[in-house]
Amino acid sequence: MNDRHLSDLLAFLRYPSVSTDPARKEDVARCAAWLAGKLESIGLQAATYPTPGHPIVVARNAHRADRRTVLIYGHYDVQPVDEPELLEGETPDPNRHWMTSPFEPALRDGVIYGRGAADNKGQLFSHVCGVSEMLEGSRELPVNLVFLVEGEEEIGSVNFGAFLHAHREELRCDIIAVSDTGMIAPGVPTFTYGLRGIAAAELRVTGAASDLHSGIYGGAVGNPATCVARLVASLHHADGRIAVAGFYDDVTPLAEWERAAWSRLPLTDADLQRVTGAPDLVGEAGYSALERVWARPTAEVNGIGGGFQGVGSKTVIPREAFAKLTFRLVADQHPAGVFAKVKAHFETHCPRGVRLEVKQGHGGEPYLTSPNLPAGLAAQNALRRAFPGREVALIREGGSIPIVATFRQVLGVETLLLGLALPDCRAHAPNENFPVENFEAGIRLNRALLEELAQK
Ligand code: BES
Ligand code: ZN
């Protein structure tokens, strides 16, 4: 491994660019400035654009009319660390605690550990290093290139759509490439042609004016925590199907070829169970686990609360309770339509005696393309060059990158999703990691991709 690439990536990972945390705003901005400086130093022209939230970094080479234009998108923001405090005498558990500090990246057995190592700094940076090597060697790239890197992906790209609209002329391109997804197994080149969308919602149920003594009033007033539990439980039928009226109306069924191809992948439901550590896999009847996460919509509770959370017991009827939900969507569902159905569902299912508020959160459209378009085939050639002798896996992903659908709407171009993270990369969790080997593969992939796309 080129030492400079590695030390630069470690420097990038040291910025605690947590987009959701207002206290980190300066760190996020410093991270953007560092990245812009890096892109300048490899020979591109870079600029940092402020937004009402976090800055956007754009860098480009000198464009020529006779070359294809490739836009590489990524994000430099990361998820919060969110770790329970280590109690006295407790030994750290890698499933709950960081074994090394999240913003002091560590190299252990050829693997880089740190927040953002996989999602998305490590993957993005392999493209930066790939371009840097090509510019160093020939001082030229085979394409017109734009790096477009945002700092709000993990909070729903709140200001990115407006930026894209405002700058759509300068950002005009033939194709977009993104490495912010996964590989199905080590060494298996993976091409992703679908992403789920997302619709976030928050439920707030309020009852009495204050917390009440549950002996004095229990039995006569509504309990907001019970109501939130009932509402959450009303989302699914016993067979795992979602019970919201009309929820599946716009769902495109998965194609027969996908079912057949996915059943032959070197990634099985048993692998999924092993990676998660869950005691069993559950979900919508009639689908394998891979089909459930890649091609079916879901309703998930991300957080739920209300009432007494302290040590011991306290006899109260809480005055309020809440649940934070996200629905993962597949083509051709839309976040606004799904939210309207969900809201109506909660309003008809809410028990009497309490007040219900259903708030809409961020949303993102799903994305589905064909793996067989010319650029898709070029990308698959590039993957074969980066991982010689291995067959390319064609998959969808369960995660969301909402901006990919926006790229299609605003710029009118498709996006190639070329993931480099492994199934056990622990994105969004403690001990997030990215093998140096994958970083190197990403650098090879970048070169092969730009060369292949130059001809398509
Ligand atoms: N890199 C992920 C998206 C992803 C994860 C794609 C796994 C494919 C497989 C991205 O950074 C992410 O976490 N997105 C959020 C989006 C949300 C906050 C709008 C997600 O999927 O939860
Ligand atoms: Zn993420």
Side-chain angles (χ1 to χ4, degrees):
M1 178 83 223
N2 177 315
D3 283 348
R4 193 174 41 82
H5 291 336
L6 189 58
S7 63
D8 281 348
L9 173 56
L10 298 185
F12 193 20
L13 290 171
R14 276 187 201 105
Y15 289 94
S17 49
V18 181
S19 47
T20 197
D21 184 352
R24 296 292 198 190
K25 197 165 168 59
E26 278 310 306
D27 291 312
V28 178
R30 287 194 309 117
C31 186
W34 181 88
L35 180 62
K38 185 74 227 165
L39 290 164
E40 278 278 344
S41 77
I42 67 171
L44 301 175
Q45 227 178 43
T48 306
Y49 293 85
T51 76
H54 301 302
I56 293 169
V57 178
V58 183
R60 58 179 74 231
N61 60 349
H63 287 198
R64 288 192 341 221
D66 61 339
R67 288 191 305 209
R68 314 281 293 166
T69 301
V70 179
L71 186 151
I72 299 179
Y73 162 86
H75 62 96
Y76 68 83
D77 65 320
V78 299
Q79 284 272 324
V81 171
D82 193 24
E83 176 178 38
E85 226 175 283
L86 201 59
L87 304 174
E88 227 182 272
E90 194 184 5
T91 41
D93 166 1
N95 287 314
R96 301 175 58 232
H97 304 106
W98 285 84
M99 304 312 277
T100 47
S101 168
F103 297 112
E104 193 38 68
L107 200 60
R108 293 197 291 279
D109 301 328
V111 179
I112 306 159
Y113 289 84
R115 173 58 86 230
D119 183 8
N120 173 236
K121 289 174 174 170
Q123 297 198 61
L124 167 68
F125 206 66
S126 63
H127 287 280
V128 176
C129 295
V131 168
S132 151
E133 285 187 5
M134 291 180 94
L135 286 172
E136 240 168 46
S138 61
R139 310 224 48 80
E140 254 310 349
L141 297 177
V143 296
N144 299 329
L145 182 76
V146 181
F147 270 112
L148 178 57
V149 189
E150 71 159 312
E152 298 189 324
E153 195 275 347
E154 298 292 5
I155 49 172
S157 298
V158 253
N159 294 294
F160 198 68
F163 179 86
L164 210 56
H165 272 282
H167 295 261
R168 62 184 179 279
E169 289 308 322
E170 304 121 78
L171 297 174
R172 211 199 286 270
C173 58
D174 296 296
I175 191 76
I176 295 174
V178 177
S179 289
D180 191 24
T181 50
M183 287 168 46
I184 57 166
V188 179
T190 305
F191 180 90
T192 295
Y193 59 91
L195 293 166
R196 289 197 290 191
I198 193 163
E202 217 171 307
L203 275 184
R204 193 164 157 262
V205 174
T206 49
S210 74
D211 282 5
L212 296 175
H213 190 296
S214 65
I216 302 176
Y217 298 104
V221 297
N223 183 319
T226 306
C227 294
V228 164
R230 290 186 79 96
L231 288 173
V232 162
S234 75
L235 281 172
H236 293 91
H237 292 300
D239 66 357
R241 270 178 77 81
I242 292 161
V244 174
F247 186 79
Y248 293 98
D249 284 357
D250 302 319
V251 170
T252 304
L254 75 159
E256 271 317 309
W257 75 264
E258 301 182 282
R259 260 206 155 151
W262 294 354
S263 69
R264 290 192 303 266
L265 290 175
L267 174 68
T268 63
D269 286 12
D271 294 323
L272 232 73
Q273 185 173 351
R274 194 174 32 75
V275 166
T276 60
D280 203 354
L281 293 176
V282 298
E284 189 184 355
Y287 296 91
S288 73
L290 280 187
E291 291 166 356
R292 288 169 182 160
V293 293
W294 289 352
R296 299 296 296 169
T298 58
E300 295 291 350
V301 180
N302 303 126
I304 186 164
F308 181 62
Q309 311 277 322
V311 196
S313 111
K314 180 170 186 248
T315 49
V316 287
I317 297 170
R319 65 176 297 278
E320 64 181 325
F322 73 89
K324 292 179 184 245
L325 311 166
T326 46
F327 298 80
R328 292 283 168 172
L329 316 181
V330 300
D332 286 312
Q333 291 179 299
H334 299 288
V338 166
F339 177 77
K341 288 171 184 163
V342 165
K343 186 165 191 275
H345 173 93
F346 285 137
E347 281 163 356
T348 45
H349 284 76
C350 188
R352 281 194 322 113
V354 291
R355 270 176 234 100
L356 167 70
E357 197 188 329
V358 189
K359 260 203 345 225
Q360 184 167 11
H362 62 84
E365 306 275 345
Y367 181 71
L368 187 61
T369 187
S370 159
N372 299 320
L373 299 173
L377 297 175
Q380 291 170 51
N381 280 341
L383 283 165
R384 273 187 284 272
R385 285 172 57 186
F387 298 90
R390 304 300 298 260
E391 203 182 319
V392 178
L394 301 181
I395 71 162
R396 300 202 219 172
E397 284 268 31
S400 308
I401 310 176
I403 205 64
V404 172
T406 315
F407 283 143
R408 184 190 268 167
Q409 285 160 12
V410 178
L411 303 178
V413 292
E414 298 298 286
T415 296
L416 305 165
L417 298 158
L418 308 171
L420 297 164
L422 294 184
D424 63 356
C425 71
R426 297 182 182 240
H428 298 199
N431 304 302
E432 179 175 350
N433 63 86
F434 191 54
V436 172
E437 191 185 305
N438 291 40
F439 183 36
E440 287 173 322
I443 296 173
R444 293 196 300 276
L445 175 64
N446 172 268
R447 172 186 288 266
L449 182 70
L450 298 187
E451 287 173 358
E452 293 288 333
L453 288 175
Q455 298 167 36
K456 281 286 167 319

